[in-house]
Amino acid sequence: MPFMCCVPYCNGNYRKGPRVSVFSFSRDRVLAGQWLRLIKRDNFTPTASTKVCERHFTEGDFRREASATDAQTGIRVTAPLKKPVLHPEAVPSILPNCPTYLSTHKHSRPTPDSRKEIKEDIAIRKALLESVADEDQYRRERKFHDVDELE
Ligand SMILES: [Zn+2]
């Protein structure tokens, strides 16, 4: 069972969610603190099994392939990695955060209007996440295709 994503509203690796690559919190406390602030989960302490999925990072935040130069031929060979490797200083930037008043007015119920806005907001963010996932998929497929063509 892959680890599920800890980001609110994200269903990465949930039973009905998409299969995604996940990343652990950094052991660097400053960086881990930044992640926590961005993810915005109150009273939450990340553990070794707390993961953030690839959908919250931009394509530039990780490497999806490894390359090496063949010493004899001098030819540079690039191969896709099984699992993307996150840049050591990357922070999650694509986040479907709940509207701030959800966390600041915990005890008051949202009015029907704002409830509708929350729903719309979530829908927009979900769509955004999905389109990002689609684009990732597209790039990955295109990359594999390019590698095939090189052979
Ligand atoms: Zn996620």
Side-chain angles (χ1 to χ4, degrees):
M1 184 67 195
F3 287 108
M4 290 180 284
C5 180
C6 75
V7 173
Y9 300 114
C10 179
N11 60 357
N13 285 348
Y14 278 63
R15 211 154 55 89
K16 289 184 177 168
R19 287 287 157 264
V20 287
S21 293
V22 293
F23 305 102
S24 302
F25 272 68
S26 174
R27 284 194 204 100
D28 179 307
R29 283 178 60 189
V30 176
L31 191 63
Q34 275 180 349
W35 281 36
L36 262 187
R37 270 196 298 281
L38 289 161
I39 291 166
K40 288 191 178 135
R41 277 185 67 164
D42 295 337
N43 305 318
F44 179 69
T45 309
T47 67
S49 54
T50 305
K51 309 286 179 181
V52 177
C53 81
E54 61 181 311
R55 299 201 289 172
H56 312 293
F57 296 91
T58 63
E59 196 59 27
D61 286 335
F62 32 61
R63 246 171 354 114
R64 291 189 184 278
E65 45 192 32
S67 41
T69 307
D70 186 308
Q72 283 187 335
T73 61
I75 294 172
R76 197 156 179 79
V77 190
T78 303
L81 290 166
K82 263 188 193 161
K83 184 182 180 299
V85 176
L86 201 62
H87 188 275
E89 279 159 26
V91 292
S93 54
I94 305 167
L95 295 160
N97 281 330
C98 47
T100 45
Y101 54 79
L102 268 189
S103 47
T104 49
H105 299 285
K106 262 189 190 128
H107 305 293
S108 65
R109 304 189 61 151
T111 61
D113 254 9
S114 62
R115 210 177 293 158
K116 194 175 155 242
E117 276 166 24
I118 295 167
K119 264 193 188 159
E120 278 170 7
D121 192 46
I122 292 169
I124 290 165
R125 285 166 193 276
K126 259 192 190 162
L128 189 70
L129 273 177
E130 272 158 23
S131 71
V132 168
D134 283 352
E135 199 181 325
D136 278 359
Q137 180 79 23
Y138 167 73
R139 286 195 197 165
R140 229 171 301 167
E141 278 167 7
R142 196 184 52 184
K143 244 174 219 163
F144 289 146
H145 189 61
D146 289 349
V147 170
D148 282 348
E149 280 179 348
L150 285 174
E151 281 169 355

